[in-house]
C-alpha cells in the first residue's frame, strides 16, 4: 500500500516507520528543510538549541521504532536518565528537587508539611490506577466509534475523570506549594491544571515508572537517529516542500498537491499536521463537512501559546539544574489570564531548560546554553507579538536574574525568541497554540479529532491534536493507534 505522511514531528516519523514495518511504501513530506516539526533544532554560533520537547519519558516508545527493524537503539541515539527531574522554585525562593528518589521526595515533603507525606503516598497509588487504565490499557486503542468510549465511561468515572488534576491533587494534599508542584503536569501537554481532566494525572506516575531522560546531543539527535533509520529502511523523504492540497473524490482521498504543483497519487494520507489546519487549509474548509463535524470542530478549545526565549551565556550557572520550574505568586490568576481572559500578566511562571548541565556539547567551552518557556495566551488574544515580544523577553530576563541567575543581563552573548506567531505560521497550528486542542475530558479520546477521519476515507491523523494527545509519549502512541487501524 502507498502511504503519504505529512509532517515530520515525532508522531509523523513514528507513523512512517510503523507503516513501513507493515509493508507499506511510505513517503514522508516535510515543509521545512529539516525534520522534527516542534522538535526542530536551531544552531547559532556554537550553541545548539532544541526547538521543542526536552522532557523524555517512556523511552521504550522511542526504542521500539528501532527494534521494529531489528536495530539496536544505542547505535543511533543515547538516552541518559536524569537524577533530579525538576527543581521547583516557589515564590518565597525556597526550592524542591523533584526526582524518582522516593525517600528524598518524602523527606522534602515532610519539611514543608508533615501531614502531606501520607497524602502523597495515596496520590501516587491513585495515579498508578489512572496510569494502568489511561496509558497502559487505552493510550493505543482507536477511539473512532462512540461505543468504545461508552464502554470505558464507568471505569473513567470511577477514576474521578470528571475532576481536574488540581482538584484531584488537592483531595490528597493540603499545602498549596505541594499542590502546585504535583498538579503542574497538564502544562507539559498544553492544559490548565484547574480544568484538565484528572486522567492526565497519569503523567505523574508515568514519570515514576520510567524516569525522565535526556537525549545526549539534544532531542534533535533522536530525530537524526530516526532520519538515518528511515534512509536505511527505504522511506522516501521530501524536504522543503509543503502539501498545499489533499485531493478527494466523493470523500475518498486520491492524491496530494505540493507547493510546486507536483501531484502525487495516493489513497492513504497520514497527517502529523494540526487537524484543524488540515481540514481548513488543505481540504476546502467547512464547505463539505457534516453539520455535526462542523459543530465539533468549532467548539474545540485550544491550548495556550508559548513564548520561548533561547539564549547562551558566557558565564556558567552551575547552580541551575537541567530542568527548573519557577512558579509566579498568583498561579491560578495567571492561568485564568492565559486560558480564559486571553491577556498577558507580569506575574509569570516559567520552565527553564539548561541542557549544558548534562551535556557540554550543547554550548561552546566555558559557556552555558538555555531556553526558557513561558505559557502565554494563544493568538485568539490578538496580542501583537511584534510589540509584546521584546517586552516579554526583558520581563523574563529580569525574573530569571532576580530568581536564580545573578547578572544574567550582562552575561547573555546569543539569543532569539519564538512567539505564538511562529507556531501559527511555521508549524500551522490553529491560533498558534503550542499543543493543539486542550486536554479536557470533553476533548479526550472519542471527543478529540479522530485518528481515522470521520469525513474522508483514506485520511488519518497522528500527533498532538488526535488521540491520545500531546507530549512525546502521546504522539508516539498515536502512531500505534494508526498501526492498529491500518
Amino acid at each position: 500500500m502507498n502511504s503519504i505522511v505529512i509532517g515530520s514531528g515525532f508522531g509523523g516519523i513514528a507513523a512512517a516507520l510503523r507503516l513501513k514495518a507493515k509493508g507499506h511504501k511510505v513517503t514522508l513530506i516535510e515543509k521545512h528543510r529539516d525534520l522534527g516539526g516542534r522538535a526542530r533544532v536551531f544552531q547559532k554560533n556554537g550553541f545548539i538549541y532544541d526547538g521543542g520537547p526536552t522532557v523524555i519519558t517512556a523511552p521504550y516508545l522511542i526504542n521500539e521504532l528501532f527494534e521494529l527493524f531489528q536495530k539496536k537503539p544505542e547505535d543511533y541515539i543515547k538516552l541518559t536518565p536524569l537524577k533530579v527531574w525538576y527543581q521547583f522554585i516557589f515564590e518565597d525562593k525556597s526550592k524542591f528537587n523533584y526526582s524518582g528518589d522516593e525517600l528524598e521526595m518524602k523527606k522534602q515533603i515532610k519539611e514543608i508539611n508533615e501531614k502531606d507525606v501520607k497524602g502523597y503516598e495515596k496520590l501516587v497509588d491513585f495515579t498508578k490506577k489512572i496510569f494502568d487504565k489511561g496509558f497502559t490499557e487505552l493510550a493505543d486503542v482507536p477511539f473512532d466509534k462512540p461505543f468504545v468510549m461508552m464502554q470505558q465511561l464507568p471505569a473513567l468515572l470511577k477514576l474521578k475523570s470528571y475532576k481536574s488534576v488540581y482538584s484531584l491533587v488537592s483531595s490528597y494534599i493540603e499545602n498549596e506549594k505541594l499542590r502546585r508542584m504535583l498538579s503542574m503536569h497538564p502544562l507539559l501537554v498544553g492544559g490548565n491544571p484547574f480544568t484538565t481532566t484528572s486522567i492526565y494525572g497519569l503523567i505523574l506516575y508515568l514519570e515514576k515508572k520510567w524516569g525522565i531522560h535526556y537525549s545526549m546531543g539534544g532531542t534533535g539527535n533522536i530525530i537524526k537517529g530516526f532520519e538515518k533509520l528511515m534512509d536505511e529502511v527505504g522511506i522516501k523523504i521530501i524536504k522543503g516542500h509543503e502539501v498545499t492540497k489533499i485531493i478527494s473524490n466523493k470523500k475518498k482521498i486520491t492524491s496530494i498537491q505540493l507547493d510546486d504543483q507536483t501531484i502525487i497519487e495516493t489513497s492513504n494520507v497520514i497527517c502529523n499536521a494540526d487537524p484543524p489546519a488540515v481540514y481548513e487549509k488543505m481540504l476546502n474548509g467547512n464547505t463539505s463537512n457534516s453539520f455535526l463535524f462542523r459543530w465539533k470542530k468549532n467548539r474545540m478549545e485550544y491550548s495556550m501559546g508559548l513564548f520561548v526565549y533561547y539564549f547562551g551565556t558566557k558565564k556558567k550557572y552551575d547552580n541551575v539544574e537541567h530542568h527548573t520550574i519557577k512558579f509566579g505568586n498568583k498561579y491560578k490568576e495567571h492561568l485564568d489570564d492565559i486560558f480564559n481572559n486571553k491577556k498577558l500578566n507580569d506575574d509569570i511562571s516559567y520552565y527553564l531548560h539548561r541542557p549544558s548541565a548534562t551535556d557540554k556539547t550543547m554550548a561552546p567551552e566555558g559557556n552555558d546554553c538555555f531556553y526558557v518557556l513561558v505559557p502565554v495566551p494563544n493568538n485568539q488574544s490578538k496580542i501583537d507579538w511584534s510589540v509584546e515580544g521584546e517586552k516579554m523577553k526583558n520581563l523574563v530576563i529580569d525574573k530569571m536574574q532576580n530568581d536564580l541567575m545573578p547578572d544574567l543581563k550582562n552575561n547573555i552573548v546569543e539569543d532569539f525568541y519564538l512567539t505564538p506567531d511562529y507556531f501559527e505560521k511555521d508549524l500551522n497550528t490553529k491560533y498558534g497554540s503550542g499543543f493543539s486542542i486542550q486536554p479536557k475530558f470533553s476533548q479526550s479520546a472519542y471527543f478529540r479529532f479522530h485518528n481515522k477521519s470521520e469525513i474522508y476515507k483514506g485520511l488519518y491523523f497522528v500527533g498532538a491534536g488526535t488521540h491520545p494527545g500531546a507530549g512525546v509519549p502521546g504522539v508516539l502512541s498515536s502512531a500505534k493507534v494508526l498501526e492498529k487501524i491500518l
Side-chain angles (χ1 to χ4, degrees):
M1 198 179 278
N2 181 22
S3 292
I4 301 271
V5 178
I6 302 173
S8 69
F10 274 108
I13 290 174
L17 287 165
R18 287 190 177 278
L19 292 180
K20 183 68 186 175
K22 280 188 84 171
H24 290 230
K25 185 181 171 195
V26 180
T27 303
L28 179 76
I29 303 172
E30 170 53 58
K31 73 179 262 194
H32 294 111
R33 297 197 174 276
D34 53 342
L35 301 187
R38 286 175 175 83
R40 295 170 75 196
V41 172
F42 306 107
Q43 299 197 32
K44 298 215 168 185
N45 298 324
F47 292 95
I48 302 171
Y49 305 102
D50 276 323
T54 51
V55 177
I56 303 294
T57 53
Y60 81 93
L61 287 166
I62 293 168
N63 294 337
E64 272 181 354
L65 297 170
F66 295 99
E67 290 157 0
L68 283 173
F69 302 93
Q70 286 76 53
K71 307 279 188 181
K72 291 181 180 167
E74 58 271 24
D75 291 343
Y76 297 80
I77 58 172
K78 187 183 176 194
L79 300 180
T80 189
L82 295 182
K83 193 165 176 244
V84 174
W85 295 349
Y86 311 100
Q87 183 172 80
F88 288 92
I89 303 178
F90 299 103
E91 52 272 41
D92 61 3
K93 302 277 180 79
S94 62
K95 294 179 178 179
F96 190 111
N97 285 340
Y98 190 100
S99 73
D101 182 338
E102 289 302 299
L103 286 177
E104 186 56 33
M105 286 286 288
K106 288 173 193 173
K107 181 175 157 240
Q108 291 176 89
I109 290 169
K110 189 177 178 182
E111 284 166 14
I112 295 173
N113 184 15
E114 191 167 349
K115 279 182 11 193
D116 280 333
V117 175
K118 263 275 174 278
Y120 168 73
E121 288 171 348
K122 287 178 180 169
L123 174 66
V124 172
D125 286 346
F126 193 76
T127 58
K128 182 187 185 300
K129 288 178 190 161
I130 300 176
F131 169 85
D132 288 342
K133 185 73 183 175
F135 188 83
T136 308
E137 197 181 315
L138 299 180
D140 56 4
V141 169
F143 272 88
D144 52 349
K145 303 271 192 320
F147 74 84
V148 180
M149 189 72 179
M150 296 298 286
Q151 281 175 321
Q152 301 304 334
L153 276 177
L156 294 175
L157 292 172
K158 195 175 171 189
L159 293 170
K160 304 179 183 173
S161 56
Y162 49 86
K163 281 191 165 189
S164 71
V165 173
Y166 182 85
S167 166
L168 177 75
V169 169
S170 298
S171 65
Y172 292 100
I173 302 292
E174 275 182 12
N175 181 271
E176 179 56 26
K177 280 183 184 176
L178 297 174
R179 284 178 171 182
R180 289 182 185 188
M181 183 181 83
L182 294 164
S183 69
M184 67 84 198
H185 293 93
L187 290 165
L188 302 175
V189 293
N192 180 347
F194 292 92
T195 58
T196 296
T197 167
S198 63
I199 293 297
Y200 284 84
L202 69 81
I203 301 173
L204 185 145
Y205 190 80
L206 178 113
E207 291 177 342
K208 293 193 180 301
K209 178 132 177 107
W210 289 291
I212 287 181
H213 294 72
Y214 169 75
S215 164
M216 296 305 281
T219 309
N221 265 10
I222 302 176
I223 301 297
K224 272 190 203 159
F226 282 152
E227 186 168 5
K228 184 181 174 210
L229 176 64
M230 287 192 289
D231 283 339
E232 288 170 359
V233 301
I235 292 171
K236 185 181 179 185
I237 300 172
I238 298 172
K239 296 183 203 173
H241 284 290
E242 186 168 9
V243 175
T244 51
K245 259 190 210 165
I246 298 172
I247 300 160
S248 64
N249 180 16
K250 294 179 182 165
K251 297 284 182 5
K252 194 171 183 303
I253 302 301
T254 57
S255 55
I256 55 142
Q257 182 176 316
L258 302 182
D259 51 8
D260 62 0
Q261 308 308 307
T262 302
I263 302 253
I264 304 173
E265 290 186 10
T266 181
S267 52
N268 258 1
V269 174
I270 296 94
C271 295
N272 188 201
D274 203 24
V278 172
Y279 282 112
E280 288 167 14
K281 294 178 181 175
M282 298 181 199
L283 284 157
N284 317 323
N286 279 332
T287 50
S288 60
N289 297 339
S290 70
F291 169 77
L292 198 63
F293 182 76
R294 284 205 303 274
W295 173 80
K296 172 182 169 173
K297 187 165 73 64
N298 294 338
R299 68 172 264 282
M300 290 288 191
E301 292 178 66
Y302 289 81
S303 82
M304 77 277 205
L306 300 172
F307 177 89
V308 195
Y309 175 53
Y310 300 85
F311 63 102
T313 60
K314 61 187 179 187
K315 173 186 170 178
K316 286 184 81 71
Y317 286 94
D318 289 322
N319 61 311
V320 177
E321 288 288 347
H322 191 116
H323 300 294
T324 302
I325 293 173
K326 168 68 175 70
F327 290 120
N329 297 332
K330 294 177 180 166
Y331 182 58
K332 186 174 190 306
E333 290 89 331
H334 181 214
L335 290 170
D336 277 344
D337 279 348
I338 292 168
F339 285 93
N340 303 325
N341 304 326
K342 302 280 192 282
K343 66 177 189 180
L344 291 171
N345 185 320
D346 283 355
D347 182 29
I348 57 171
S349 297
Y350 60 80
Y351 156 64
L352 178 65
H353 179 232
R354 180 185 170 229
S356 41
T358 304
D359 185 353
K360 304 293 176 268
T361 66
M362 301 297 278
E365 198 172 339
N367 292 28
D368 241 344
C369 178
F370 301 88
Y371 84 49
V372 61
L373 183 151
V374 183
V376 293
N378 64 35
N379 278 346
Q380 285 173 297
S381 64
K382 306 283 191 279
I383 289 166
D384 183 348
W385 286 106
S386 65
V387 175
E388 297 299 332
E390 207 61 26
K391 289 186 200 166
M392 180 59 79
K393 173 187 129 171
N394 292 326
L395 173 68
V396 172
I397 293 171
D398 285 344
K399 294 273 187 193
M400 290 189 294
Q401 185 165 278
N402 180 47
D403 297 333
L404 73 163
M405 300 168 82
D407 201 26
L408 175 60
K409 213 170 276 188
N410 296 320
N411 280 294
I412 294 171
V413 289
E414 178 68 55
D415 73 341
F416 66 99
Y417 58 80
L418 302 175
T419 71
D421 290 347
Y422 162 79
F423 287 84
E424 183 162 7
K425 290 167 189 158
D426 282 56
L427 299 179
N428 287 338
T429 67
K430 191 162 174 93
Y431 305 125
S433 64
F435 304 86
S436 191
I437 59 176
Q438 283 184 47
K440 295 181 159 188
F441 183 74
S442 58
Q443 298 186 167
S444 295
Y446 177 75
F447 305 125
R448 289 181 88 72
F449 287 103
H450 293 185
N451 304 86
K452 178 183 181 180
S453 172
E454 303 99 300
I455 306 295
Y456 293 91
K457 191 178 178 204
L459 179 66
Y460 305 90
F461 290 94
V462 290
T466 189
H467 174 67
V472 176
V475 299
L476 289 173
S477 294
S478 70
K480 293 181 86 165
V481 177
L482 181 79
E483 186 180 41
K484 289 181 176 178
I485 294 171
L486 280 168

